[in-house]
Amino acid sequence: MPAYLGIALRFLAVTALAGAAQTVVAQQEFPGRKPIEFIVLFPAGSSADVTARVLAEGMGRQLATQIVVVNRPGGGGAVGYKYAAAQAPDGHHLVWNSNSISTTYYTGMLPFDYRAFAPVARVQIETPLLFVRAEAPWKSLRDIVQYAKANPGRLTVGNSGSGSHTHFSSVWLFKAAGSPVVDVPFNAAQVVPSLLGGHVDAVVQFPGALAAPIKQGQVTLLATLTQFRDPAWPDVPTAREQGFDVALDAWRGIAVPHGTPREVVSRLEDSVRKTVESAEFSAAAAKLAVRPAFLPAAEFGELIAKEDAFLSRLMQQIGLKKAPQ
């Protein structure tokens, strides 16, 4: 063997071993003593915020570091996504990702799509629900659809902001039903007070935000906008059961800026899995009618990509797709 070839092979071997050693060290050292920022796209006190804090506490124990929840609401999630995407890809900045990564992009509120982030794990599934005040005359989805058709432009329907999952679901539902309504996007914290105060006739929202009004009998649930009935509301029929082909479960999960090392993503994924499988997280989720639904990074990424393609086509059909800003 020529001397130069032997030297080259030894160099490659040493380089490979050094790379492997660096990978092990990086995985063992992360997160070190540096705290992790967990970006939540909705206000403090929302159902998304409450479950995020339980998740952050559990992950922090697994990683032996502090995970700080930072609320960055606005734009149906766009404000938080923009901030998160601009952070260093080192595992110290997490975003509470959801279907809204696609809906905000296709409504023109984000300059980038889901590929700006690396998936870590899906955490939970939430059910978007159509609510009205208890004293409202409508007792089913068919009732409110018939009213909207008979009174074009009079029915007002609130949601959590342009580009949010609840905004998309509301527009899709009433367009599928052929019912002209007035779409009213709010800041997430304003949706429920606006319904209870009589400022809108109905809202599409997640159940955690209406836990107290539901318990106090202040609202009526007309439909779930999911594929199957939610076990938390076994008596509430889906939109499909009532003749309207609208169904899209809302998921939430953890993502990090694109380029985050795979070894770091793996450590984060493991901490999510252990937390979601804990009794503490299950109890907190049950209080908010949220279903724990862990998916590892690879499967979560496949789900996001598949759903993004579906939403692109559908939002074009219902007139919500716009050029990104």
Side-chain angles (χ1 to χ4, degrees):
M1 177 185 297
Y4 71 85
L5 182 56
I7 292 171
L9 290 174
R10 286 196 295 273
F11 174 77
L12 291 174
V14 170
T15 301
L17 288 172
Q22 288 176 353
T23 294
V24 172
V25 170
Q27 190 168 4
Q28 290 175 343
E29 288 184 351
F30 174 81
R33 297 182 179 180
K34 185 179 178 181
I36 294 173
E37 182 182 31
F38 188 1
I39 301 146
V40 175
L41 312 176
F42 296 96
S46 63
S47 60
D49 173 74
V50 172
T51 50
R53 290 177 187 276
V54 176
L55 182 65
E57 185 175 346
M59 289 178 65
R61 285 196 297 269
Q62 297 296 329
L63 296 168
T65 194
Q66 183 182 16
I67 298 183
V68 182
V69 173
V70 179
N71 301 91
R72 295 185 179 275
V79 171
Y81 284 129
K82 288 177 182 178
Y83 172 83
Q87 303 311 303
D90 58 7
H92 289 277
H93 303 278
L94 317 178
V95 64
W96 199 206
N97 195 20
S98 74
N99 315 63
S100 62
I101 186 60
S102 294
T103 55
T104 49
Y105 174 67
Y106 288 120
T107 50
M109 302 183 71
L110 281 179
F112 51 79
D113 64 9
Y114 70 95
R115 288 169 291 191
F117 300 102
V120 173
R122 187 181 69 181
V123 173
Q124 64 192 44
I125 292 175
E126 297 181 49
T127 298
L129 297 160
L130 176 65
F131 292 89
V132 295
R133 289 186 301 281
E135 63 270 23
W138 313 295
K139 303 306 176 185
S140 70
L141 176 55
R142 286 186 176 278
D143 288 344
I144 199 168
V145 163
Q146 289 174 358
Y147 172 85
K149 287 181 176 180
N151 300 273
R154 290 192 60 183
L155 186 75
T156 54
V157 184
N159 58 70
S160 297
S162 296
S164 67
H165 186 89
T166 55
H167 172 222
F168 162 74
S169 299
S170 176
V171 173
W172 184 15
L173 173 65
F174 286 100
K175 281 189 177 289
S179 304
V181 303
V182 178
D183 178 52
V184 188
F186 287 103
N187 176 290
Q190 299 173 322
V191 180
V192 176
S194 296
L195 174 67
L196 298 180
H199 303 295
V200 291
D201 299 310
V203 297
V204 173
Q205 188 56 279
F206 300 119
L210 286 136
I214 291 171
K215 188 174 182 180
Q216 296 165 9
Q218 295 177 287
V219 296
T220 300
L221 286 63
L222 300 185
T224 64
L225 307 184
T226 51
Q227 295 185 41
F228 307 103
R229 290 198 185 196
D230 191 316
W233 324 106
D235 297 327
V236 180
T238 66
R240 282 181 171 173
E241 288 179 283
Q242 299 182 68
F244 306 97
D245 190 18
V246 174
L248 186 67
D249 294 332
W251 50 258
R252 296 193 195 278
I254 298 290
V256 290
H258 177 75
T260 300
R262 285 180 295 177
E263 297 76 21
V264 172
V265 170
S266 180
R267 283 216 67 195
L268 290 168
E269 177 191 313
D270 186 60
S271 71
V272 173
R273 178 183 59 78
K274 290 176 180 176
T275 301
V276 173
E277 292 175 352
S278 70
E280 180 183 8
F281 187 85
S282 294
K287 290 180 181 179
L288 295 168
V290 169
R291 287 174 282 161
F294 174 82
L295 268 185
E299 293 178 46
F300 186 33
E302 291 172 1
L303 170 68
I304 294 172
K306 181 179 179 180
E307 189 174 279
D308 183 83
F310 167 75
L311 287 171
S312 175
R313 295 190 300 269
L314 182 60
M315 292 178 76
Q316 181 73 45
Q317 292 173 13
I318 64 177
L320 279 182
K321 193 172 182 180
K322 302 176 183 177
Q325 296 178 356

